[in-house]
Structures are given as C-alpha cells and as structure tokens.
Amino acid sequence: MKCPHCGSEMVEGHLICEICGEEIRIVPDFEPEIENSITETLSTLVAEQDGGDSVKTQQADTVQEEEEEEDETDLEDIPPDGRKIWVMASLILFFVVALVTYSAYAYHIQTVDYQINKAREYAGSGMYAEAIACLEEAYEKNPEEVDLLFMEADYYYIQEDNEAAIRVLYKVIENGNFPYEKVEEAYDKIVTIYANQGLYGQINELLRSCPEESIVNMFQGYLAMEPEFSYVEGDYAEVIPLKLSSNTSGTIYYTTDGSKPDKRSQIYTAPLFLEDGEHVISAFFVNDYGIESEIVSKKYVINLSVPNAPEVELYSGEYAEPMMIVAEGVEGCKIYYTTDESEPTADSVPYTGPIPMPLGRTLFKFVNISEEGVSSEVTMRTYTLKLRDAIPTDQAVGRLVERLVETGYLEDTAGNSKRLSGTLSYQFSSVLGIDGSGYYTINEYYDDGTGMLNRTDKVFLVQIHTGEAAQLGYDEKGNFTAVALG
C-alpha cells in the first residue's frame, strides 16, 4: 500500500505515513488527485471567462491538440462563442469522468474482500473494534458470507468478550441457509467457549436444543440425558430384570417406591429384578461434569402365577424299614428342600431324585420355584425311621473298616493306605433299601494331613442286620446294587 500524499510504500498495518507523516483515511472523502484536477479546471474556466490572454493561449494550445486528433480542425476558424461552448463541454466531460472514477473507487472499498483486508489490518494493529465494524458493514451487504461471522466471533473472543462471540456464532446456527460444515464449526466453537468457562449446564442446554443428531453425538460427553429403561412401563406376568442406562459415563440414582430421587438415593449398579406386585421406579442421571438430567418415572405391575406346591407321595409317620422319599414338581419349576426346619428357598438343597429316609425323626420342607422366581406353598412331611434289630451305625462303620483292612484296601484301622500319603476315614450317611434289604450308606473322606476332610467318590454299604460290608453300585438300568468287597 502506498501513501496517497507522497507515494511512499506504507508498512503493512500502519495508518500514518512514516515519510510525510500524513494520516491515511480508510474511506477518503475524495481522491486528492481528482480534487486538484477539478480545482485547476475551475480556475481555467474562470480565467477564460475573464478574457485573460495567458489563459486564451493555454486554451488555444489545448484546442490545437484536440484538433490534431479530430482531423486537425482549425481552432482559429471557431467563433469565440463556440470556444466557450467547447470549454464548457470539456469541463462537463471531465466532471463525468471524475465522478465515474470516484464511484468505481467507492464501490471497490465497499467490497467484501476490501473490508476483510481492512479488518485484518486493523486487527493486526490491535484495533479490534474498528475491525469488527468493517466486518459488520460487509456482512450487512453480504449476509451469505458466513466467514465474516466467524472472523467477527474470533475478534470478540480475542478480546475475551465471550458473550458477544457466542451471540455472533448463534447467528450461524440460527440462519438456516449455511452449509452443515459451518453449522458444525459454530457448535464446536460455542462448546469450546462454554467448556473453558466451566459452563457445562449451558453446553447441555445447547445440545438438547440441537436438531442435528450427528452434531449432538460429537459432544455426548457433555450431555445428561434421562436414563433409559430396558422395559416399557405396564403390566407383566413374569419377573423382569429392569436395566437402567445412560448416554455417557456418569451415575444413575434411583428409587423404587415412587419417591423423588436425589444424590443420596441408591446408585444403580445392576439390573433391578421386579417381582410380584406394583413398582414405581424413578431415576435421574448425573454425568462426569456434574450436569443432572430430568427425573423420569415408570410404573410396573407384576402379576405372577403362583405354581402349585410339590407333591410328596410318602405321608408323614413312623417307619421301621428304609424308605425313599419322592417329590414331584411342576413343569418350568425346580424343587428345593430343607431338613433343618428352615423355609426352603432357591439357595436351599435342590431336589434331584429320591431321597433315602434318614434315621430318627426328620422334618422335610419342599417348595416349587418357577423360572420367574415365584415360590409355591411349602409341602411339609415328618418322618421317623426306627429300624428293628439293626446294629448301631457306629458299629456298622467299624465293621466296614475291618473288612477294608482284610481286603488290603487299608493298611490298618487308622485309615492308612499304601496308595495315599494321607489317611481315609468313614462316616454314616443314610439308610438305603436295595433288593428288599436295608443297608447303611457310609461315605469315604480323605485327609491329606492338614485336617481338612475331602469326600471321595466312593460310597460303601453295611447290611443293617448282619453287618456285611459292600460297595454301592448301579445296574444297567441305573438302579442301586450292593457290590461285594474282595
């Protein structure tokens, strides 16, 4: 850029010429050259009208030049009045040329490129208010130039006027005609400004109102959407494992009685199993930036069909012979039982087949539990088994150990064995009827020297009357058999 006063090259961004010291105006009132030329012409016209000889000579020379261009017309042949008309016409032509020239210049300084360049010059000198004024003037005439808004927002941001910067960026978002990429850039800049100030709530509001899902997904971490429920609210005929999920990392707080949850409520960590009855689940989400979602509540009514109680064919009473206790369940249910007078649950002993009746008096409690976790009524049976003329159980265990020593299975009655470094021991378990005869069942345990007993896979038998020892086996049909030791 050159100084219009002295013609010296200007330093970029400077508005005062270092050579002549004149200030450079952005939009000059009038071109100096044009002003000087007009002034000179007006002086000539005045001199012509006053009849000055020197001026006449000057005009004659000018006319002579024009005559040479127009086939060398003889100026002296033109009457005095004609010369005045010619001068006036020349003057009018000059004014027209000057006006066109200035208009072209004025148009040039109003173009977007010119305003952008001037804005950059001002910004380079730290004159951001003037730079913003140039951009606003350009945008008013060219509202489709979205980059003008981004430059303006940047200049506000540099001045730490975040509110003004965001206000300008909102013009990009709300315009409706700008390309998607520019709208995305505007959201990115607004989110950055809010995040730098720690205004995460404003980010959440901004994204919640954004109609572009792809843009929202870019900033999921700042959102706090209401928790999603894995089941729609309503009536169900089964236990449902209700899962709560959030759109990003954070914490879900919930209640199950319809009360309003807060940060002191239960924290969701695993599915909520809703069993029979009415449940109102209320929850809200707090993301890692501390932004809270709205509370959402859903109502569930669980109407479960209760299964029938297990059927046990063997009635309660006293028995003198070994008996097997058989329970029949319901399709889709499992049977569980206890013998310690506690209530059976899904954590109790599962029923897998006929149970040998224990010696003495025993209270059995059986229950059916459906796949949905619904329990039936409890079936209770009390059995008392008193064997007639039967040898005591401790004597039966002694008979077994002696027989195992005789067969070489054990080295001595202390339970030592050549096959093992530890010792073996034996404990009475139950009474079993096999082929019409009663047997004590005796389990084998191994002690590796630590005092911990581990049950082996062998079960031995001792006939309740004779004391004859055998090993429990199975025939081809899967029935119990007594296999002789030997």
Side-chain angles (χ1 to χ4, degrees), residues 43-52 55-56 59 80 83-84 87:
S43 299
T44 302
L45 179 60
V46 172
E48 176 68 23
Q49 291 175 343
D50 292 341
V55 175
K56 287 181 180 180
Q59 282 297 121
R83 289 200 298 272
K84 290 182 179 181
V87 171

Side-chain angles (χ1 to χ4, degrees), residues 112 138-146 148-149 175 177-178:
V112 173
Y139 183 73
E140 184 177 350
K141 294 180 174 59
N142 302 274
E144 72 281 358
E145 294 290 342
V146 65
L148 294 171
L149 295 177
N175 181 276
N177 295 318
F178 292 141

Side-chain angles (χ1 to χ4, degrees), residues 105-124:
Y105 177 76
Y107 173 79
H108 167 69
I109 65 176
Q110 296 299 322
T111 61
V112 173
D113 289 341
Y114 181 86
Q115 294 291 354
I116 290 177
N117 290 334
K118 295 307 297 180
R120 286 173 176 165
E121 289 181 14
Y122 277 129

Side-chain angles (χ1 to χ4, degrees), residues 187 191 202-212 215-216 219-223:
Y187 272 102
V191 169
Q202 281 82 342
I203 297 177
N204 185 62
E205 293 178 5
L206 171 70
L207 298 177
R208 291 293 295 271
S209 62
C210 177
E212 295 290 344
I215 292 178
V216 174
F219 307 101
Q220 279 285 333
Y222 293 106
L223 273 176

Side-chain angles (χ1 to χ4, degrees), residues 10 31 49 100 147 209 219 267 282 361 399 405 417:
M10 295 284 294
E31 286 289 310
Q49 291 175 343
V100 170
D147 288 335
S209 62
F219 307 101
I267 297 177
S282 301
R361 181 183 179 279
R399 294 276 185 91
V405 172
S417 173

Side-chain angles (χ1 to χ4, degrees), residues 166 170 187 190-209 219-225 247-249 285-293:
I166 291 174
Y170 260 103
Y187 272 102
I190 294 175
V191 169
T192 300
I193 293 173
Y194 278 142
N196 289 341
Q197 299 178 88
L199 301 176
Y200 302 112
Q202 281 82 342
I203 297 177
N204 185 62
E205 293 178 5
L206 171 70
L207 298 177
R208 291 293 295 271
S209 62
F219 307 101
Q220 279 285 333
Y222 293 106
L223 273 176
M225 303 292 289
N247 64 297
T248 185
S249 60
F285 171 66
V286 181
N287 69 11
D288 290 339
Y289 297 99
I291 304 172
E292 299 181 9
S293 74

